[in-house]
Amino acid sequence: MISFILLLCRFFTIAICVTDQYVLDDKVGLGRVFDGIGGLSGGGATSRLLVNYAEPYRSQILDYLFKPNFGASLHILKVEIGGDAQTTDGTEPSHMHYENDENFFRGYEWWLMKEAKKRNPNITLIGLPWAFPGWVGHGKNWPYDYPDITATYVVSWIIGAKQYHDLDINYVGIWNERNFDSKYIKVLRDILDKVGLTDIGIIAADGDWNIVNSMVVDPYLNDAVEVGLVVLHLNRAHYPGTTTVLEALKTQKKLWSSEDYSTFNNEVGGGCWARILNQNYVNGLMTATISWNLVASYYGELPFGRDGLMTAQEPWSGSYVVESPIWISAHTTQFTQPGWTYLQTVGHLAHGGSYVALTNGKGDLTVVIETMTHDHSVCVRPPLPAFNVTSQNTTFQLKGSFASLAQLQVWRSRFNFKTQKPTFFEKLSPLKLSDGSFTLNLGEDEVYTLTSLTSGLKGSFPDPPPSAPFPTTYKDDFNVANPPFTEAPDFADQTGVFEYHINLTDPGPHVFTLRQVVTQRPVTWATDADQTISVIGNYKWENLTVSCDVFMETVKTGGVFIAARVDKGGQSVRNAKGLFYWIFSDGSYKVTNDLAGQAVLAEGPSGTRAFGWHTLTLSIKGQYATGLLNGYPLWKNAVVLGPKNGWAAIGTKSFELAQFDNFAVKAE
């Protein structure tokens, strides 16, 4: 009989002879409290195109992100406190462009938080400044030399969120791309407490590990910080690689991966997300993971294209794509809530992969298992060490409060990389338990949720419209009396901020304009261009005509431009090339092959001055370009050797006030 069994084992090793045993037991003690799974809008301008979607598509996208028991069902929304600066894919406007200026209706983050809250009243809201208006730094590119000013600026945003939008911010993060400043954290805590915001937690440091050593030896600093965010010390980034350092554990604080994922959202990206959602806790005791970014709603040719949980970058067509990370999120978010607790009995599977188990303390249990292989779960950062995953049989024994459970609901995702026919978040038949145990045969690249809850749902809508390129004919006169957002549709500010403007001193045709409003270089970790620029359109455009009415507000030194074939944006925008047609308030013009204005193709007198409207028209076909001023040729047949394609754009010579009206593009 033994020989017969051994013979069977030779051929059926996995199925019969090797079954790995795991115990799920709450009586041996519990682990850390779960704080949720979230997405990040900002850092920067990553939700820029979302607001321009028409209904019902915009609401459908929001439902996939935030609606409980429907899609990703996110527990956390983290947003950028706009700082007027380039912070990855664009700029987001500050609520205080200037020291004596306050406006809590700029940008779209207020709207997004309200939409998230409308769908999930219990969602956790976090604000973090990635940059600051220049006045905060008093001429320096550093916000902490005057901690009272910086803290007051941030607290004003929190107060404005409540007073003007009835939004309760739960946490505020500390901008920390270089060196953290403990004095600022203490000042921020003091000001929050003085204005009655004692329940708002401080997340520190949202950038590197330096703070944890100081927290261990400084009780006041330790008390001021609620969440010690887990980040990767080696490369001073947010992305922890699922690991924690001992010093962070010593603080006894919540450990969160405040910014993670940042990976192209194909199936490998979904595999990355599946692995880190489990292993951030298994390896690093991190109780919250927040994806950068929430939704890839920015031009795909900008940095980190399609790095969101889903893709919505075509408001002109209404097309969007529900990507795999949405359903991978659902495996956790639809069957847990912040306040649930991890069991101590979590860990790695014997043949690769991991499992976590959580309970609400009322007898409910949710188990999430992932078996993602190395090559199918690589994140953009940090480098992923080698590991092996193979198919395996697993038996889980339920003990303690869960021993009496008779069945579990089962949800499964299979990536099926070999067949390229994945199935995500599929509801299987309930699993009957025998003496409190169940057995699963786990293949490679799978995700399972087993839960006592019966509330899960794979939400759906009718297919959105098909994908389509940006229209070849586009016009905007900016004549919106009460715009819902301060940004004009589809313009993506890369340096500077272009806002709707009502010119009450102009009774003529230019009452409603678009105005560049940033007049001082911001405090930022990225390298803003010396010029301001906002791009729009189809990156593939080659031959096109761009026209716009322009109004300079700086005497003698002012300047504005329109442009075509702009080839770079985001953090690389200062190196952008294209065809730039400039006029200046000193009565001259220039045509350059770059945003920096160094590669001059043509120049001469124009007769242009500040405080008067001028119409610029730029036409480019093949290697030749022509420019009109007020309908008359100013230059022609400029030879353009490259780039071959790119966006249209508007902008200014420096950080200065200028207005734009009657923008139009016609592409071939």
Side-chain angles (χ1 to χ4, degrees):
M1 182 69 176
I2 295 176
S3 299
F4 177 70
I5 293 176
L6 290 175
L7 182 63
L8 288 177
C9 287
R10 182 175 299 175
F11 295 98
F12 302 99
T13 301
I14 297 289
I16 295 179
C17 299
V18 179
T19 299
D20 300 301
Q21 306 284 333
Y22 306 93
V23 175
L24 302 177
D25 187 357
D26 58 346
K27 294 304 182 184
V28 298
L30 296 175
R32 293 194 170 209
V33 175
F34 175 65
D35 293 305
I37 307 301
L40 201 167
S41 174
T46 53
S47 304
R48 176 64 193 89
L49 298 176
L50 174 61
V51 299
N52 304 136
Y53 270 80
E55 295 293 354
Y57 311 116
R58 189 170 72 177
S59 289
Q60 292 173 4
I61 295 164
L62 293 166
D63 283 352
Y64 278 119
L65 293 169
F66 299 116
K67 186 177 179 180
N69 295 315
F70 189 84
S73 306
L74 296 175
H75 306 131
I76 300 170
L77 173 60
K78 180 178 177 181
V79 304
E80 178 171 356
I81 301 175
D84 293 341
Q86 168 61 247
T87 54
T88 297
D89 287 298
T91 66
E92 299 199 28
S94 169
H95 62 289
M96 296 179 70
H97 293 316
Y98 322 110
E99 195 164 0
N100 59 351
D101 165 62
E102 272 193 355
N103 185 326
F104 296 97
F105 294 93
R106 295 184 182 125
Y108 41 83
E109 302 295 7
W110 311 108
W111 164 83
L112 183 59
M113 286 188 285
K114 287 188 287 188
E115 291 295 323
K117 200 81 171 175
K118 184 190 304 181
R119 288 162 173 80
N120 178 6
N122 297 319
I123 197 165
T124 298
L125 297 178
I126 304 172
L128 171 69
W130 268 258
F132 300 85
W135 64 268
V136 172
H138 279 251
K140 295 183 179 179
N141 192 41
W142 184 240
Y144 299 138
D145 286 345
Y146 303 92
D148 289 344
I149 292 174
T150 304
T152 300
Y153 167 82
V154 170
V155 171
S156 70
W157 182 87
I158 298 171
I159 294 173
K162 181 63 175 178
Q163 288 184 345
Y164 294 95
H165 302 284
D166 196 28
L167 291 168
D168 294 303
I169 305 301
N170 302 104
Y171 295 93
V172 61
I174 305 299
W175 181 81
N176 185 32
E177 291 291 342
R178 296 189 296 185
N179 301 301
F180 97 98
D181 191 312
S182 60
K183 181 180 179 181
Y184 168 71
I185 295 174
K186 297 175 185 178
V187 170
L188 177 60
R189 181 75 269 163
D190 286 344
I191 293 178
L192 286 168
D193 293 346
K194 286 177 182 177
V195 298
L197 299 174
T198 56
D199 57 340
I200 291 182
I202 295 177
I203 298 174
D206 213 326
D208 66 32
W209 270 117
N210 291 336
I211 191 172
V212 296
N213 294 318
S214 298
M215 289 170 66
V216 170
V217 299
D218 187 339
Y220 185 87
L221 177 62
N222 189 66
D223 291 343
V225 174
E226 179 168 344
V227 178
L229 282 170
V230 171
V231 292
L232 184 63
H233 182 57
L234 296 178
N235 67 0
R236 299 176 57 79
H238 300 270
Y239 303 86
T242 76
T243 60
T244 308
V245 298
L246 180 62
E247 289 79 2
L249 296 172
K250 289 180 180 178
T251 67
Q252 298 297 309
K253 297 294 182 180
K254 298 178 181 180
L255 303 178
W256 291 3
S257 182
S258 64
E259 183 178 324
D260 216 324
Y261 182 61
S262 187
T263 298
F264 192 79
N265 59 21
N266 58 7
E267 270 63 60
V268 172
C272 155
W273 189 231
R275 179 176 54 80
I276 66 177
L277 285 185
N278 265 24
Q279 296 195 28
N280 273 351
Y281 186 77
V282 170
N283 299 336
L285 294 180
M286 289 171 264
T287 56
T289 298
I290 301 173
S291 165
W292 188 90
N293 51 69
L294 171 72
V295 52
S297 205
Y298 46 98
Y299 288 116
E301 295 82 7
L302 288 168
F304 305 101
R306 267 186 62 184
D307 276 16
L309 297 178
M310 63 180 290
T311 303
Q313 58 190 27
E314 289 187 13
W316 47 86
S317 72
S319 180
Y320 63 85
V321 185
V322 182
E323 312 283 4
S324 60
I326 291 291
W327 304 119
I328 295 304
S329 302
H331 274 281
T332 299
T333 57
Q334 289 201 23
F335 309 107
T336 61
Q337 288 297 320
W340 283 47
T341 306
Y342 285 98
L343 303 190
Q344 284 193 15
T345 47
V346 302
H348 292 279
L349 299 171
H351 298 280
S354 65
Y355 66 99
V356 295
L358 302 96
T359 181
N360 60 1
K362 301 176 182 178
D364 285 309
L365 174 70
T366 290
V367 184
V368 184
I369 303 168
E370 59 82 23
T371 59
M372 297 309 305
T373 57
H374 180 281
D375 291 351
H376 295 151
S377 66
V378 176
C379 302
V380 70
R381 67 178 75 84
L384 184 60
F387 62 86
N388 293 317
V389 177
T390 58
S391 298
Q392 54 198 298
N393 259 15
T394 58
T395 296
F396 288 84
Q397 181 69 52
L398 275 57
K399 294 185 177 181
S401 301
F402 317 119
S404 61
L405 289 174
Q407 70 175 21
L408 294 172
Q409 305 299 314
V410 183
W411 294 80
R412 181 181 67 190
S413 291
R414 282 180 164 171
F415 284 83
N416 288 326
F417 284 96
K418 291 182 180 178
T419 65
Q420 295 186 351
K421 294 180 179 179
T423 57
F424 292 115
F425 204 56
E426 177 185 16
K427 191 175 192 304
L428 306 183
S429 299
L431 185 64
K432 305 295 184 181
L433 274 61
S434 175
D435 297 325
S437 71
F438 63 88
T439 298
L440 287 176
N441 178 248
L442 302 174
E444 297 176 6
D445 299 320
E446 296 182 343
V447 181
Y448 278 85
T449 296
L450 300 102
T451 179
S452 59
L453 301 183
T454 59
S455 53
L457 174 69
K458 186 173 184 178
S460 64
F461 291 108
D463 289 342
S467 175
F470 195 96
T472 56
T473 299
Y474 182 90
K475 295 181 179 180
D476 196 339
D477 59 11
F478 312 121
N479 288 350
V480 184
N482 296 294
F485 304 103
T486 52
E487 299 85 356
D490 306 329
F491 278 92
D493 301 346
Q494 299 301 302
T495 301
V497 173
F498 296 75
E499 296 179 347
Y500 279 116
H501 176 66
I502 300 178
N503 190 345
L504 298 177
T505 64
D506 188 346
H510 299 294
V511 173
F512 298 97
T513 67
L514 197 66
R515 192 188 201 197
Q516 199 297 114
V517 297
V518 178
T519 58
Q520 184 180 1
R521 176 176 290 278
V523 176
T524 177
W525 60 271
T527 307
D528 286 68
D530 296 325
Q531 306 76 20
T532 72
I533 179 173
S534 186
V535 301
I536 189 171
N538 188 339
Y539 188 81
K540 296 180 180 179
W541 278 343
E542 298 180 8
N543 301 324
L544 66 156
T545 297
V546 185
S547 65
C548 191
D549 296 345
V550 298
F551 184 90
M552 295 173 283
E553 299 185 50
T554 303
V555 177
K556 294 185 179 180
T557 60
V560 297
F561 68 82
I562 62 173
R565 295 186 183 175
V566 177
D567 70 343
K568 288 186 177 64
Q571 299 157 282
S572 302
V573 69
R574 69 181 294 109
N575 298 317
K577 301 202 180 319
L579 187 67
F580 296 82
Y581 173 19
W582 313 72
I583 60 169
F584 304 101
S585 58
D586 66 358
S588 65
Y589 81 92
K590 185 164 61 174
V591 183
T592 69
N593 210 173
D594 59 343
L595 176 62
Q598 301 301 309
V600 179
L601 304 179
E603 59 185 335
S606 63
T608 52
R609 296 288 184 268
F611 297 100
W613 283 96
H614 304 282
T615 300
L616 301 183
T617 304
L618 169 63
S619 297
I620 183 169
K621 187 169 185 178
Q623 294 185 359
Y624 298 98
T626 300
L628 307 182
L629 175 63
N630 301 325
Y632 296 95
L634 182 63
W635 54 274
K636 60 182 179 179
N637 294 331
V639 178
V640 184
L641 298 179
K644 302 297 184 183
N645 56 274
W647 296 291
I650 58 175
T652 63
K653 174 187 173 184
S654 62
F655 290 95
E656 61 185 273
L657 298 175
Q659 297 180 57
F660 302 84
D661 201 1
N662 297 320
F663 177 84
V665 175
K666 185 172 181 58
E668 295 182 10

